[in-house]
Amino acid sequence: MIRLNVFIRVEAAQRAAVVEAAKELVAHSLNDKGCVAYDLFESATRPEVLMICETWQDDASLSAHEQAAHFTRLVPRIQGLAEMKSERFEF
């Protein structure tokens, strides 16, 4: 399995738009084949920090997700409004 922790740092003025796009991304991604989990978290201590935590069955599932219409539409939107950084773990 593959776990991605995607950290999003967003300024207050763009936060609502980023959260809206991220929630839409989560809703669609949960239906992608091979998606085990896909969640959006908000920091309790740093309001500018969000995290998407995603778990995939395998590389093929993650690759298909990254080519899906919702991903190619929403991720660039989020990247245009905030900084994104990801960590990848395999287990």
Side-chain angles (χ1 to χ4, degrees):
M1 281 202 234
I2 300 165
R3 162 70 52 85
L4 294 179
N5 293 330
V6 181
F7 296 93
I8 303 168
R9 186 171 181 196
V10 61
E11 294 183 17
Q14 284 77 34
R15 191 174 191 284
V18 168
V19 168
E20 180 182 331
K23 285 182 177 181
E24 185 178 349
L25 179 64
V26 169
H28 288 291
S29 299
L30 285 169
N31 295 314
D32 287 348
K33 183 177 179 185
C35 180
V36 176
Y38 211 100
D39 297 291
L40 174 65
F41 297 97
E42 300 180 62
S43 174
T45 57
R46 296 172 42 201
E48 77 278 7
V49 176
L50 307 169
M51 183 179 77
I52 295 175
C53 183
E54 34 186 300
T55 306
W56 297 94
Q57 287 181 346
D58 51 36
D59 274 315
S61 299
L62 176 56
S63 180
H65 163 68
E66 291 172 342
Q67 296 172 32
H70 56 272
F71 184 94
T72 60
R73 178 174 54 86
L74 293 166
V75 170
R77 182 183 306 169
I78 295 169
Q79 289 173 324
L81 297 169
E83 296 175 39
M84 294 178 74
K85 173 179 112 169
S86 65
E87 301 174 330
R88 178 184 169 126
F89 304 94
E90 294 188 36
F91 57 99

